[in-house]
Amino acid sequence: MLARPEQPAKITTTEWLGVSKWDLETPALCVDLDQLNRNIASLERALATTGIASRPHAKAHKCPEISRLQLAAGAIGVCAATVGEAEVFVASGIEPVLLTTPVATPSKIIRAVNLRRASNRFMMVTDTEAKARQISDAAAAADVTVDVLIDVDPGVHRTGVQPGEPALALAQLIDRLPHLVLRGVQCYDGMSQHVHGFAKRRAQVLERMAPVSETVALMARAGLDTGIFTGGGTGTYNIDHQHPGFTDVQCGTYVFMDAQYLAIGSATGSPTYEEFPASLTVVTSIISANTPGHATADAGTKALTCDEPDPLVVGAPDVRYHTRSDEFGMIRYDGPDGRYKPGDRLELIVPHADPVVNLFDRLFVTRAGRVEAIWSIAARGRSQ
Amino acid sequence: MLARPEQPAKITTTEWLGVSKWDLETPALCVDLDQLNRNIASLERALATTGIASRPHAKAHKCPEISRLQLAAGAIGVCAATVGEAEVFVASGIEPVLLTTPVATPSKIIRAVNLRRASNRFMMVTDTEAKARQISDAAAAADVTVDVLIDVDPGVHRTGVQPGEPALALAQLIDRLPHLVLRGVQCYDGMSQHVHGFAKRRAQVLERMAPVSETVALMARAGLDTGIFTGGGTGTYNIDHQHPGFTDVQCGTYVFMDAQYLAIGSATGSPTYEEFPASLTVVTSIISANTPGHATADAGTKALTCDEPDPLVVGAPDVRYHTRSDEFGMIRYDGPDGRYKPGDRLELIVPHADPVVNLFDRLFVTRAGRVEAIWSIAARGRSQ
């Protein structure tokens, strides 16, 4: 009853090396290698002045090649959001991987613990005493020791133990349990990353993280290991060093950027977030343009998601591109008719990088507009 | 410079046969085989009374196994939305495939035309004279003859030639061009499929399709082939036979159903669309529940999209499930605390089936809650 995987007509990848990005089969996910490298270098340069490190989140790019560039530039490790992602990165030789999501089902706890066999620098988080005991039991069964951070809730109520005494009690339990080694604290304030306006964003995240810093201090006074205090992201990387005790930031999107982050505003006061220009784009083709002021392109929600805001058309800020059709992008423009004709190409900055990357199997790596490499988005679809 | 695909830790599929859907690694995409077969049979039974046929759209399921069930039940062919999808279905031996999207770039025209080598029943559509000439030239170069339908715009202004004289002129050109065979008309009124309330939906689609039926009559009077007049979908399958000349409906979602279609209301007057109960679900696990009234599950936008409306929790209509996080579903419930604990499973009806299916590599086919087969979602990600 197990269906064999169907054999699709083969599309080879090597044939695209050297090709202009404007000649790829569309929709095509492209990254400008020089801009990618500049963004990676910019983060490290900025962090070097603040005394914290980067532990970039691989959930954004799902691509071991990019983790290697980040580690080579100075990152102290990488993050993964799912056990499946962590398995891909560990199997690719990336170390150390921190699994940032508390796992709860017995099978995933076993899979996570087993990652220690392949990488003795693998780390995971937990946010309840029950789960900590399950991890300890699974580690005992697998005859491994697992490094664990407590995941603290910054008030999002998504995951995490409450700061203060509940967090201290959990940390003390982990410190006591056999086969577990307490390594510190994780707290990701996802609600603060996209606050528009730097001053407002800074004030919010500092207020929300204050109880977490106090928790880290409480743990230190109790003699517990607080060597890692990790969290934050692309929206707060230049604020997070102000949380007392904070050690490293889990930026993900900064390598690529997207319309969501470009809109949050910069520390310079600019309404556009200028620190990391977009390196990631989707190239799309016009397939129909029979109505004045309208055109239809081949990148819909299956290539761009239906996330907001709309994609940005590179070089044409006046053009509106909507993605409410599965396979079609709906373009509206003012001015003279005939601006677009079938076969024309457009380049789009995506609404939200992470789920868009998750729709593609490969990333076309371009330099000066030509394909220089093709990277497997190896953790694409590994939500399990 | 070509990176080898990374080797992820292997997850075999055969090990899941016979397993309860509640024990799968989550998020898991599941289809209830009996309900799937009932939905397929229901459509054919309903159409049999109206004299039109089904040509189900494979963009919804991307799964050759399901096309085979549809053809076995009486479908006269299947539809594909992209050249890449059509390539998968043709390579899987599915016939006849109709490519419903006009292709515009030279490479895709060549790929589409080349599908005639593998399947001489393959058909495609076009909506401009320029594209018709390109298809004719490509067919000449490939030494094949290609069956072509004109794609007519029902007023959506997405794709399609205008009805009336422009459509007639395009049809006449296709009829004249060497290597092309005119087969009829396609018109898909995507704007009418999700109109809430049967009477309103019926009135709208009948009004919008009237000029297209007149175009078909115009073509017939001019001696052109109108043997196919295809379009419509899950929202209008029980109305489309009232368009004069209409031959077959391109329903896709009816096999699975989703929250969007369940909300449009039924011909019976029910506010829920009852004709096709949901067969498709995503099973998710609770990973954290540290805050009263809150719980967090492991199916976020990378498993469910951020489409609206929210997913529906099977058996718990009072529970709200939001998917605005990439890897997390945010659950809110009223009433006593502690309703959910880490490790609990939930089953969700998805917001919008097509893009959700496109996020998964495999479909767990269950009967009485146990995995009976695993089908490859072979056209997953083939947006090109």
Side-chain angles (χ1 to χ4, degrees):
Chain A
M1 286 302 293
L2 181 70
R4 281 173 306 169
E6 308 294 332
Q7 289 301 316
K10 193 175 286 182
I11 295 184
T12 60
T13 51
T14 49
E15 67 184 279
W16 299 109
L17 292 178
V19 168
S20 164
K21 68 181 173 186
W22 301 111
D23 292 329
L24 294 169
E25 291 294 83
T26 56
L29 187 70
C30 298
V31 66
D32 182 279
L33 182 57
D34 292 333
Q35 188 59 54
L36 175 77
N37 278 321
R38 278 194 295 271
N39 288 353
I40 291 171
S42 291
L43 178 70
E44 297 303 327
R45 197 166 48 239
L47 293 182
T49 67
T50 63
I52 62 172
S54 77
R55 191 186 305 273
H57 216 306
K59 75 191 266 310
H61 55 71
K62 289 178 171 273
C63 188
E65 296 289 336
I66 294 178
S67 288
R68 286 192 194 104
L69 293 176
Q70 293 171 317
L71 290 166
I76 60 169
V78 309
C79 298
T82 68
V83 180
E85 269 179 22
E87 287 169 341
V88 170
F89 282 81
V90 166
S92 300
I94 305 293
E95 290 189 306
V97 173
L98 168 65
L99 175 58
T100 58
T101 303
V103 286
T105 58
S107 59
K108 283 194 187 170
I109 288 173
I110 291 169
R111 285 168 59 199
V113 162
N114 279 339
L115 283 170
R116 284 291 288 215
R117 294 181 185 282
S119 169
N120 65 13
R121 300 176 68 196
F122 171 76
M123 297 182 282
M124 57 194 292
V125 307
T126 194
D127 64 352
T128 69
E129 299 193 4
K131 282 180 263 186
R133 291 181 195 282
Q134 288 165 1
I135 297 167
S136 175
D137 291 346
D143 196 21
V144 296
T145 298
V146 182
D147 289 6
V148 178
L149 283 69
I150 61 165
D151 179 44
V152 178
D153 180 5
V156 176
H157 304 324
R158 192 165 75 178
T159 70
V161 63
Q162 291 307 301
E165 291 298 332
L168 179 66
L170 176 60
Q172 285 172 323
L173 176 69
I174 292 168
D175 192 49
R176 279 199 312 272
L177 282 171
H179 296 274
L180 301 190
V181 175
L182 178 71
R183 294 293 304 277
V185 172
Q186 168 183 274
C187 181
Y188 176 66
D189 184 14
M191 304 291 261
S192 293
Q193 296 303 313
H194 288 91
V195 172
H196 285 215
F198 181 77
K200 192 172 167 196
R201 188 160 68 249
R202 180 177 178 280
Q204 177 173 317
V205 74
L206 289 177
E207 180 184 348
R208 288 161 65 94
M209 292 295 285
V212 189
S213 282
E214 286 162 22
T215 301
V216 171
L218 193 65
M219 286 169 59
R221 286 197 298 274
L224 296 167
D225 189 340
T226 56
I228 298 176
F229 176 12
T230 182
T234 297
T236 58
Y237 82 101
N238 49 0
I239 305 166
D240 291 319
H241 60 281
Q242 297 178 46
H243 314 314
F246 194 83
T247 59
D248 58 83
V249 66
Q250 300 181 352
C251 296
T253 309
Y254 78 103
V255 289
F256 291 149
M257 292 303 283
D258 55 30
Q260 286 186 355
Y261 265 125
L262 288 170
I264 69 170
S266 166
T268 64
S270 165
T272 300
Y273 195 39
E274 296 166 329
E275 285 86 337
F276 305 106
S279 66
L280 186 80
T281 54
V282 166
V283 177
T284 183
S285 301
I286 303 295
I287 58 168
S288 195
N290 283 341
T291 305
H294 292 56
T296 302
D298 64 4
T301 65
K302 288 180 183 172
L304 292 164
T305 77
C306 55
D307 229 326
E308 294 175 332
D310 285 332
L312 307 172
V313 181
V314 175
D318 59 313
V319 172
R320 286 94 67 200
Y321 192 107
H322 303 281
T323 56
R324 288 276 152 182
S325 288
D326 293 343
E327 287 88 7
F328 302 105
M330 310 290 276
I331 294 166
R332 300 288 182 273
Y333 62 90
D334 303 318
D337 296 342
R339 180 162 177 170
Y340 296 110
K341 64 178 193 303
D344 287 353
R345 310 284 173 122
L346 296 174
E347 191 172 23
L348 306 170
I349 295 172
V350 307
H352 181 188
D354 302 26
V356 167
V357 170
N358 189 47
L359 295 169
F360 290 86
D361 291 299
R362 61 183 71 90
L363 179 59
F364 291 99
V365 183
T366 67
R367 186 170 260 163
R370 293 204 171 265
V371 177
E372 186 158 307
I374 300 160
W375 290 341
S376 168
I377 301 171
R380 197 271 325 144
R382 292 184 69 84
S383 297
Q384 295 76 24
Chain B
M1 284 303 292
L2 182 70
R4 281 173 304 170
E6 307 295 333
Q7 289 300 317
K10 192 174 286 184
I11 296 184
T12 60
T13 52
T14 49
E15 67 184 279
W16 299 109
L17 292 178
V19 168
S20 163
K21 69 182 173 187
W22 302 112
D23 293 328
L24 294 170
E25 290 295 84
T26 56
L29 188 70
C30 297
V31 67
D32 181 280
L33 182 58
D34 292 333
Q35 189 59 53
L36 175 78
N37 278 321
R38 279 194 294 271
N39 288 353
I40 291 170
S42 291
L43 177 71
E44 297 303 327
R45 198 166 48 241
L47 294 182
T49 68
T50 62
I52 62 172
S54 76
R55 192 186 305 272
H57 216 306
K59 75 190 266 312
H61 55 69
K62 289 179 171 273
C63 187
E65 297 289 336
I66 294 179
S67 288
R68 287 192 193 104
L69 293 176
Q70 292 171 317
L71 290 165
I76 61 170
V78 308
C79 298
T82 67
V83 180
E85 270 180 21
E87 287 170 342
V88 169
F89 283 81
V90 166
S92 300
I94 306 293
E95 292 190 303
V97 173
L98 168 64
L99 175 58
T100 58
T101 303
V103 285
T105 58
S107 60
K108 283 194 187 169
I109 289 173
I110 290 169
R111 285 167 60 200
V113 162
N114 279 339
L115 283 170
R116 284 291 288 214
R117 295 183 185 280
S119 170
N120 64 12
R121 300 176 69 195
F122 171 75
M123 297 182 283
M124 57 194 291
V125 307
T126 195
D127 64 352
T128 69
E129 299 193 3
K131 282 180 262 185
R133 292 182 194 280
Q134 289 166 1
I135 297 167
S136 175
D137 291 347
D143 196 23
V144 295
T145 298
V146 181
D147 289 7
V148 178
L149 283 69
I150 60 165
D151 179 46
V152 178
D153 179 6
V156 176
H157 304 324
R158 193 165 72 177
T159 69
V161 64
Q162 291 305 301
E165 291 299 330
L168 179 66
L170 176 61
Q172 287 172 321
L173 175 69
I174 293 167
D175 192 49
R176 279 199 312 273
L177 282 170
H179 296 273
L180 300 190
V181 175
L182 179 71
R183 293 293 304 277
V185 171
Q186 168 183 274
C187 182
Y188 176 67
D189 184 13
M191 303 290 261
S192 293
Q193 296 303 313
H194 288 91
V195 172
H196 286 216
F198 181 77
K200 192 173 168 197
R201 188 160 69 248
R202 181 178 178 279
Q204 176 173 317
V205 73
L206 289 176
E207 180 185 347
R208 289 161 64 94
M209 291 295 285
V212 189
S213 281
E214 287 163 20
T215 300
V216 171
L218 192 66
M219 286 169 58
R221 287 197 297 276
L224 296 165
D225 189 339
T226 56
I228 297 175
F229 175 12
T230 183
T234 297
T236 58
Y237 82 101
N238 49 359
I239 306 166
D240 291 320
H241 61 281
Q242 296 179 47
H243 315 312
F246 194 83
T247 59
D248 58 83
V249 66
Q250 300 180 352
C251 296
T253 309
Y254 78 103
V255 290
F256 291 148
M257 292 304 283
D258 56 30
Q260 286 187 354
Y261 265 125
L262 288 170
I264 69 171
S266 167
T268 63
S270 164
T272 300
Y273 194 38
E274 296 165 329
E275 284 86 338
F276 305 107
S279 67
L280 186 81
T281 55
V282 166
V283 177
T284 182
S285 301
I286 303 295
I287 58 168
S288 196
N290 283 341
T291 305
H294 292 56
T296 302
D298 65 4
T301 66
K302 288 180 183 172
L304 292 164
T305 78
C306 54
D307 229 326
E308 295 175 331
D310 284 333
L312 306 172
V313 181
V314 175
D318 59 313
V319 173
R320 288 94 68 200
Y321 192 107
H322 303 280
T323 57
R324 289 277 152 182
S325 288
D326 292 344
E327 287 89 6
F328 302 103
M330 309 290 275
I331 294 167
R332 299 289 181 273
Y333 62 90
D334 303 319
D337 296 342
R339 181 163 178 170
Y340 296 111
K341 63 178 193 304
D344 286 353
R345 310 284 173 123
L346 296 174
E347 191 171 22
L348 307 170
I349 296 173
V350 307
H352 181 188
D354 302 27
V356 167
V357 170
N358 189 48
L359 294 169
F360 289 86
D361 290 299
R362 61 184 69 92
L363 179 59
F364 291 98
V365 183
T366 67
R367 186 170 259 161
R370 292 202 172 265
V371 177
E372 185 158 308
I374 300 160
W375 291 341
S376 168
I377 303 172
R380 196 273 323 145
R382 293 184 68 84
S383 297
Q384 293 76 22

